């Protein structure tokens, strides 16, 4: 009988323990299911955030690439305008040099054909720098004849200017 009682007590204890284990496992199962659900929700939120971040990043990269293309196009346009400006400037300088050469040539021709006294009279009325530039364009023989017909003071001033201009061009 004691055996039966022990057996019954043990059976009751085992049954109670089994019930406690069952409840414990059910509680743990519910807790794990809740955690799994929370992890799934967190994973879905993370995936949604990742997808929106990648979309935003892609849009920004496209905008950046578009802006870079615009900047490169603008730079190319600026380079083209710069090259065109340099070409036009060179062309204008060539035209100006041509005009200056023709003008100097005509002035030299005109003064070369004038009599020394007439040239001396005209150059005496000009400022020294302009007069000396014209004289530099003339032949040496013509210059000496013109200087001999000028007022000695004006002739000496022009001679000094001619000397300085000649020294500057030879340096």
């Amino acid at each position: 009988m004691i055996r039966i009682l022990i057996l019954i007590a043990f059976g009751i204890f085992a049954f109670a323990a089994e019930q406690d284990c069952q409840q414990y496992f059910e509680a743990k199962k519910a807790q794990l299911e809740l955690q799994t659900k929370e992890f799934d929700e967190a994973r879905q939120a993370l995936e949604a955030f990742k997808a929106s971040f990648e979309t935003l990043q892609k849009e920004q990269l496209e905008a950046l690439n578009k802006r870079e293309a615009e900047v490169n196009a603008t730079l190319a346009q600026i380079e083209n305008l710069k090259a065109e400006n340099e070409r036009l400037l060179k062309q204008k300088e060539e035209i100006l040099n041509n005009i200056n050469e023709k003008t100097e040539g005509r002035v030299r021709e005109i003064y070369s054909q004038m009599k020394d006294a007439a040239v001396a009279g005209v150059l005496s009325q000009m400022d020294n720098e302009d007069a000396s530039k014209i004289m530099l364009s003339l032949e040496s023989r013509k210059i000496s004849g013109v200087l001999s017909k000028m007022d000695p003071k004006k002739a000496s001033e022009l001679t000094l200017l001619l000397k300085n201009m000649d020294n500057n061009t030879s340096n």
Side-chain angles (χ1 to χ4, degrees):
M1 179 99 144
I2 292 195
R3 273 189 185 181
I4 293 182
L5 277 176
I6 291 179
L7 210 49
I8 292 175
F10 183 70
I12 292 173
F13 179 72
F15 179 74
E18 185 179 325
Q19 287 295 326
D20 284 342
C21 283
Q22 192 77 21
Q23 288 175 351
Y24 175 77
F25 287 130
E26 289 296 323
K28 274 296 190 187
K29 181 180 175 185
Q31 186 181 9
L32 288 173
E33 287 175 351
L34 182 64
Q35 285 179 344
T36 303
K37 184 179 176 184
E38 289 174 354
F39 286 146
D40 283 343
E41 290 172 358
R43 184 180 46 80
Q44 288 174 356
L46 179 62
E47 287 175 0
F49 175 75
K50 181 180 172 186
S52 67
F53 177 75
E54 287 173 351
T55 302
L56 178 64
Q57 188 178 26
K58 183 179 176 184
E59 289 172 359
Q60 288 177 341
L61 185 60
E62 288 172 358
L64 181 63
N65 287 338
K66 181 180 177 185
R67 186 69 181 137
E68 183 180 15
E70 290 172 358
V71 167
N72 287 338
T74 303
L75 283 174
Q77 196 174 26
I78 288 170
E79 289 298 321
N80 288 340
L81 288 173
K82 182 179 174 184
E84 178 67 13
N85 284 344
E86 288 174 0
R87 186 188 65 77
L88 288 173
L89 182 62
K90 185 176 178 182
Q91 185 181 19
K92 299 288 184 201
E93 286 174 354
E94 288 174 3
I95 291 170
L96 184 62
N97 287 338
N98 241 358
I99 290 171
N100 285 339
E101 286 175 11
K102 287 180 181 180
T103 303
E104 287 174 9
R106 296 238 337 132
V107 168
R108 178 180 36 239
E109 185 180 321
I110 291 168
Y111 278 93
S112 293
Q113 293 176 5
M114 290 172 64
K115 296 190 183 236
D116 292 347
V119 173
V122 172
L123 294 181
S124 294
Q125 300 301 313
M126 290 183 178
D127 73 52
N128 290 342
E129 193 170 320
D130 289 336
S132 61
K133 285 179 184 177
I134 291 172
M135 288 187 74
L136 271 179
S137 70
L138 301 174
E139 293 179 14
S140 300
R141 175 174 262 171
K142 185 74 171 178
I143 293 172
S144 62
V146 170
L147 287 174
S148 68
K149 304 288 184 193
M150 280 186 166
D151 173 56
K153 183 178 182 203
K154 181 75 171 185
S156 67
E157 290 172 1
L158 287 177
T159 301
L160 288 176
L161 271 175
L162 288 172
K163 178 183 173 198
N164 289 335
M165 288 180 144
D166 196 36
N167 286 340
N168 288 340
T169 57
S170 57
N171 286 337

